[in-house]
Amino acid sequence: MTSTTEQLSATTLLRFATAGSVDDGKSTLVGRLLHDSKSVLVDQLEAVEAASLSRGQDAPDLALLTDGLRAEREQGITIDVAYRYFATPRRRFILADTPGHVQYTRNMVTGASTAELAVVLVDARNGVVEQTRRHAAVAALLRVPHVVLAVNKMDLVDYAEPVFAKIAEEFTTYASELGVPEITAIPISALAGDNVVEPSANMDWYGGPTVLEHLETVPVSHDLTGCHARFPVQYVIRPQTAEHPDYRGYAGQIAAGAFRVGEPVTVLPSGRTSTITAIDALGESVDIAWAPQSVTIRLADDIDISRGDLIAPAGDAPATTQDVVATVCHVADQPLAVGQRVLLKHTTRTVKAIVKDIPSRLTLDDLSQHPAPGQLVANDIGRVVVRTAEPLALDTYADSRRTGSFLLIDPADGTTLAAGMAGESFASAKALPAQDDEDGWDF
């Protein structure tokens, strides 16, 4: 008899995020998925039933399974990103239930940054609204490969097919213009359970999969070994003991690709080259290691390497640049302005930087670019040009979500200001002249 552990080890993992406007039913959908897939513990269900009864509700409010914060339960809204883990015999899942309010769009960036699929909910009565378009834009910006449009509350529009068809056409047209590669539209009622886990008898005109069926069968690839190999150095190990007097290793997590003993590599940003002499993983020497393993790499030459340096294959190293052109989603309450001094964190490397220009801000209504806005405020999506004090080895975000992304940080208090995705044109950006800053930010 196969054990549960063996069954789970044989299934794939899907990371997905839910998003939508306020009261579209995100938490109810997630609660319904957990409940109907038998992923709710008895004590959790009893707690939800008791909380629902105290609020005068006859049936359990499944939204309470994900709305864990006291403030969320009192207000009936989702504020924080609620992560849940569940499994079916076909697949394991990590889901992020993200907030619907405009001021919490930044939380969706957090939830969707590692997701392979995003479920965008739309209230069938309201159709596509501004927040729906914003979430579609964030999914496209973060290059989430699969998007599900869940048209919820179909029971409140008498399960009318024309209502669903109109919303699906509008959203699909908009998301396609954004570059979303795959869009699947599903009509549901999270409250009644229609097309969530079980097919709906009320919508016999719909012949597609249920939400859970699609989640279980959508193709997912976690194979990072075929990507450009990248190893950000996190820590330099030099025990200097009698047993290991000459040991010098570079520890970290392989961000993408694979590394092999005997392979020639380049260390960036210095550009020095060497050869891998050994790879240590879990206390043992191995001939090959791949993402996302945490390993220690040893090199043949004594090179000055420190935290933040990047090791890459000698024939496939990224170009270094100090002029970063990228699209960012601004997540802080304080605005991001031209001329502002920031810290840029890329993998394990953090450098000083200055925002040299904000060429445009995305207008979500018609996907037009508002030129020269001067600043970005919370939840804005725009293009920025950032000049760094030291060279960075950036890939484009299209090539690598891990090494093509970065954060802009307020140097005064450590607040994250923006999440950035290096664009295709960053390597060919016009070089900006170095400037001398009176406070010592000389670059």
Side-chain angles (χ1 to χ4, degrees):
M1 183 175 179
T2 304
S3 67
T4 302
T5 302
E6 290 172 337
Q7 289 177 346
L8 291 180
S9 65
T11 60
T12 56
L13 170 69
L14 173 69
R15 297 175 181 267
F16 72 100
T18 60
S21 191
V22 179
D23 295 330
D24 278 353
K26 299 178 302 302
S27 297
T28 303
L29 170 62
V30 173
R32 175 64 64 183
L33 276 172
L34 296 174
H35 180 270
D36 290 7
S37 63
K38 307 297 189 293
S39 301
V40 181
L41 299 177
V42 174
D43 59 339
Q44 289 178 311
L45 187 57
E46 290 177 349
V48 167
E49 290 173 343
S52 302
L53 185 62
S54 68
R55 297 167 66 173
Q57 296 172 300
D58 296 331
D61 184 356
L62 297 180
L64 298 181
L65 288 170
T66 55
D67 287 340
L69 297 179
R70 182 183 298 273
E72 292 178 354
R73 292 196 174 191
E74 290 175 350
Q75 299 178 50
I77 62 173
T78 302
I79 297 175
D80 201 1
V81 178
Y83 289 94
R84 291 295 180 269
Y85 309 84
F86 69 103
T88 67
R90 303 177 71 178
R91 181 167 279 177
R92 292 173 293 138
F93 302 95
I94 300 177
L95 69 90
D97 181 28
T98 65
H101 284 71
V102 173
Q103 65 265 38
Y104 298 123
T105 302
R106 54 196 173 192
N107 297 63
M108 187 203 169
V109 176
T110 301
S113 61
T114 58
E116 291 93 18
L117 182 146
V119 178
V120 179
L121 269 77
V122 171
D123 189 325
R125 300 169 300 175
N126 302 328
V128 176
V129 297
E130 180 185 357
Q131 190 69 337
T132 309
R133 291 189 289 269
R134 188 182 298 274
H135 287 145
V138 170
L141 180 65
L142 294 174
R143 293 188 174 268
V144 179
H146 308 281
V147 172
V148 172
L149 171 67
V151 182
N152 193 23
K153 304 187 181 182
M154 288 297 295
D155 54 315
L156 300 183
V157 295
D158 297 325
Y159 300 103
E161 181 180 5
V163 174
F164 166 73
K166 180 181 178 181
I167 295 173
E169 181 181 4
E170 181 181 354
F171 180 87
T172 301
T173 300
Y174 182 86
S176 298
E177 291 178 359
L178 287 169
V180 176
E182 180 183 285
I183 305 159
T184 302
I186 305 176
I188 69 169
S189 171
L191 188 63
D194 293 290
N195 284 337
V196 178
V197 173
E198 300 295 336
S200 172
N202 298 305
M203 291 179 279
D204 54 4
W205 45 264
Y206 172 74
T210 65
V211 173
L212 182 61
E213 183 182 354
H214 183 70
L215 293 177
E216 288 181 325
T217 57
V218 66
V220 176
S221 175
H222 299 286
D223 184 14
L224 297 174
T225 59
C227 303
H228 303 286
R230 302 290 185 259
F231 180 75
V233 176
Q234 184 174 354
Y235 186 72
V236 180
I237 299 178
R238 296 189 65 188
Q240 295 181 323
T241 61
E243 185 179 357
H244 303 285
D246 300 321
Y247 187 96
R248 185 182 182 93
Y250 309 101
Q253 183 183 51
I254 300 176
F259 289 88
R260 297 169 176 80
V261 173
E263 180 179 14
V265 294
T266 298
V267 180
L268 299 171
S270 69
R272 297 286 300 276
T273 58
S274 186
T275 302
I276 297 177
T277 57
I279 301 175
D280 301 326
L282 298 176
E284 297 181 357
S285 294
V286 296
D287 293 328
I288 183 174
W290 54 85
Q293 287 181 307
S294 294
V295 299
T296 300
I297 291 178
R298 288 184 274 167
L299 302 180
D301 301 281
D302 187 10
I303 301 175
D304 182 13
I305 300 176
S306 58
R307 175 183 173 87
D309 287 351
L310 185 77
I311 298 176
D316 187 29
T320 59
T321 182
Q322 288 181 258
D323 301 314
V324 180
V325 180
T327 299
V328 303
C329 180
H330 191 59
V331 300
D333 293 327
Q334 63 266 40
L336 181 72
V338 174
Q340 187 169 341
R341 291 190 287 269
V342 296
L343 296 177
L344 190 152
K345 178 173 173 37
H346 172 247
T347 63
T348 57
R349 188 176 185 83
T350 302
V351 300
K352 294 179 179 180
I354 291 180
V355 179
K356 301 300 298 184
D357 190 19
I358 302 179
S360 63
R361 183 183 70 241
L362 180 65
T363 303
L364 294 175
D365 289 335
D366 57 3
L367 297 180
S368 62
Q369 297 286 344
H370 178 75
Q375 66 177 16
L376 298 177
V377 298
N379 301 311
D380 275 350
I381 298 172
R383 296 283 288 175
V384 299
V385 179
V386 179
R387 173 77 176 184
T388 61
E390 303 169 27
L392 292 177
L394 280 135
D395 288 294
T396 62
Y397 190 77
D399 289 337
S400 172
R401 293 172 79 180
R402 290 287 303 275
T403 56
S405 59
F406 60 87
L407 296 176
L408 296 182
I409 300 170
D410 187 338
D413 58 10
T415 300
T416 299
L417 300 173
M421 283 62 66
E424 299 284 352
S425 60
F426 82 94
S428 60
K430 182 180 179 181
L432 299 171
Q435 294 192 0
D436 295 331
D437 185 81
E438 60 182 6
D439 293 329
W441 294 50
D442 300 332
F443 46 93

